[in-house]
Amino acid sequence: MTQPIAKTTVQRALHAHAAIGLIASALLYLVCLTGTVVVLYQEWQRIEQPDAPEMLTIAPDAVQKAAAAVLASEKGKPGTTHLYVHMPVPGLPRTTITTDSQAVHANADGTIAGPEENAWSEFLLAAHYALNIPGLVGMTIVGILGVMIVALSLSGVIAHPRIFRDAFRLRARDNQGVGLADWHNRLSVWSLPFALAIALTGAMIGLGSVGAYGLATVFYKGDVEAAYAPIFGDEPPPDAAPAPLADIAGPLAWIAAEHPAVRPTYVIVHDPQTRGQHVQIIAEHPQRLIYGETYNFAADGRFEGSTGLSDGHLGQQLAASTYNLHFGNYGGLPVKLAYIVFGLALTVVVATGTSIWLGKRERRGLREPRLRSLWDAVLWGVPLALALTFLVRLFAGNGAPLAALFWTLAALIPLAAAIRPLPRPKPYLKAALGAALIACLLTVLLR
């Protein structure tokens, strides 16, 4: 005869179940919050390094000169496999050259101005993109979270048949969670198209790499680049024999003459200073959602064709549109502001959803102050940790270990709340967050 499970064992299992749900909600909240903040990725870079040289345009010859100077500074080091030139654009009017070992800003005349220092912006992007976890693991987790948001959005609509009819109904606040539930439902309706678009594109980006590795394993003998080639184009075979730096100025001049309506955003030199090197120019197309078309050039500057992201098959155009649609990199400042508003709404929906769930448990007699305090620590501790890492970056410089600091704070704050759940930490964390935000603002203004 089967022995009944002890009541204490059942309670422990329920606590573990609730804790796992809280962890999933915390990750959803973190991804939504960092995604909202990272909409201003270009602006954060300018705030971090306000003295970097800025320009509306840069001459092709100056780009060639700057690339050559960067490579010359790396003599004696292992050869870089890719050289990237970020061209000045309205949101970030700076010329930045990145290799395998360094990133520097260039002046308008092609001279090197100094190193790029945007550690907090890069940390923030990595936190949203992959939870600061290297490799495929982090991106896969974030992709799964995107799928969860889609499932939660659709199931929420189905579970509340009156949700659209009551789209503008807000009942008074009370102690039973009715007002909170109304805000949760109203914001869910108002942000539903945005939430679905962001979640679907996030899932595509996060799980796309996993899919590419799967396709490469099954159909391309493990060659991931071959799996991506039908969408983003393939590369010619490498030739490591030394050679002068490829012509960069010629392709930029060709783009300006042949396609004056497009705007180059990146120049990529593959295997620079080798006989197998070639140049790609990524250029934005006006009134298009794609991040750009890729124009391919031989080392001598000869045009070899475009990849087809602007006029190729539908799958290519869809893949090239995913990034801008997810991050709001189109339409300028009005679109960014809209993404911030709807991103905050989505963040509030995630936060209130878990708060409503905890409230329902309490009304059923499952009073768990530790879980409540843990959720308070997540809601107010995560933005507090972001603000503190930003302050550390401003005072300690570009080399501060921001990812380690953030995740340490993100772990210690909930741990402290769990050890001492009463009184609830919410008012103290809110006060600390307000003080940290004011300190950030004053520091930026004083700089």
Side-chain angles (χ1 to χ4, degrees):
M1 187 173 179
T2 305
Q3 293 291 330
I5 301 175
K7 186 177 180 179
T8 55
T9 303
V10 173
Q11 289 178 338
R12 289 196 188 102
L14 289 173
H15 288 317
H17 179 76
I20 292 171
L22 207 62
I23 292 172
S25 299
L27 291 176
L28 279 175
Y29 173 74
L30 170 63
V31 169
C32 291
L33 179 62
T34 53
T36 302
V37 180
V38 87
V39 169
L40 298 175
Y41 175 66
Q42 294 177 325
E43 288 74 12
W44 288 122
Q45 293 183 67
R46 299 178 77 177
I47 291 172
E48 276 195 82
Q49 196 174 11
D51 57 347
E54 297 192 342
M55 63 218 71
L56 295 177
T57 60
I58 184 169
D61 289 338
V63 177
Q64 183 86 41
K65 176 182 176 182
V70 170
L71 290 174
S73 70
E74 296 185 352
K75 284 186 176 179
K77 300 179 181 179
T80 188
T81 57
H82 293 84
L83 180 142
Y84 301 90
V85 182
H86 172 274
M87 301 290 288
V89 295
L92 190 62
R94 298 176 174 182
T95 301
T96 308
I97 300 177
T98 304
T99 68
D100 293 352
S101 59
Q102 63 176 324
V104 298
H105 293 299
N107 295 306
D109 61 358
T111 56
I112 303 305
E116 181 187 44
E117 296 179 345
N118 60 345
W120 192 82
S121 305
E122 294 300 324
F123 146 75
L124 179 67
L125 183 63
H128 176 70
Y129 211 79
L131 303 176
N132 301 115
I133 301 173
L136 286 176
V137 176
M139 291 183 63
T140 303
I141 295 173
V142 173
I144 293 172
L145 293 174
V147 175
M148 289 178 60
I149 293 176
V150 174
L152 289 169
S153 300
L154 296 178
S155 61
V157 171
I158 296 171
H160 299 82
R162 293 165 52 93
I163 195 168
F164 290 105
R165 185 168 61 181
D166 295 340
F168 297 97
R169 182 186 181 192
L170 285 172
R171 286 168 285 187
R173 296 178 61 183
D174 57 31
N175 293 326
Q176 300 300 315
V178 174
L180 190 64
D182 276 359
W183 274 112
H184 176 82
N185 293 336
R186 300 302 83 82
L187 289 174
S188 298
V189 172
W190 301 337
S191 63
L192 181 61
F194 173 84
L196 290 176
I198 294 301
L200 283 170
T201 52
M204 291 172 62
I205 295 171
L207 299 177
S209 298
V210 179
Y213 272 85
L215 288 173
T217 302
V218 176
F219 297 106
Y220 297 98
K221 299 180 180 179
D223 188 347
V224 179
E225 291 184 0
Y228 277 119
I231 298 177
F232 300 107
D234 54 6
E235 295 190 20
D239 184 346
L245 177 62
D247 183 7
I248 299 174
L252 285 170
W254 185 91
I255 291 283
E258 299 295 327
H259 300 280
V262 308
R263 180 174 59 211
T265 56
Y266 272 96
V267 178
I268 307 173
V269 183
H270 297 259
D271 302 313
Q273 294 183 320
T274 70
R275 294 179 64 179
Q277 65 188 329
H278 59 285
V279 177
Q280 290 181 320
I281 295 180
I282 299 175
E284 291 181 344
H285 283 225
Q287 309 301 319
R288 294 295 304 275
L289 194 57
I290 59 172
Y291 67 79
E293 176 62 276
T294 302
Y295 297 88
N296 303 295
F297 298 85
D300 60 3
R302 176 172 37 87
F303 177 59
E304 295 184 327
S306 59
T307 300
L309 299 178
S310 63
D311 56 3
H313 57 75
L314 184 60
Q316 281 185 291
Q317 298 185 51
L318 177 63
S321 302
T322 301
Y323 297 92
N324 279 353
L325 183 59
H326 184 77
F327 290 103
N329 297 332
Y330 62 95
L333 185 60
V335 171
K336 288 187 176 185
L337 292 177
Y339 267 63
I340 291 172
V341 170
F342 285 112
L344 286 173
L346 181 57
T347 305
V348 171
V349 167
V350 172
T352 53
T354 304
S355 297
I356 292 168
W357 171 64
L358 290 172
K360 288 180 178 178
R361 289 173 62 88
E362 290 180 358
R363 290 192 291 274
R364 292 201 304 267
L366 297 173
R367 296 191 176 276
E368 298 169 312
R370 185 165 279 107
L371 284 182
R372 270 290 187 183
S373 294
L374 277 170
W375 189 238
D376 288 344
V378 170
L379 288 184
W380 304 102
V382 168
L384 174 60
L386 287 174
L388 291 177
T389 55
F390 184 67
L391 278 175
V392 169
R393 159 64 186 91
L394 294 181
F395 285 104
N398 202 59
L402 300 180
L405 175 63
F406 170 78
W407 287 104
T408 300
L409 290 171
L412 289 179
I413 293 173
L415 179 61
I419 293 173
R420 189 174 179 181
L422 294 174
R424 286 177 61 179
K426 181 177 178 179
Y428 307 104
L429 290 172
K430 288 176 67 175
L433 175 59
L437 291 176
I438 292 173
C440 289
L441 179 61
L442 292 176
T443 304
V444 168
L445 292 176
L446 290 174
R447 291 176 80 233

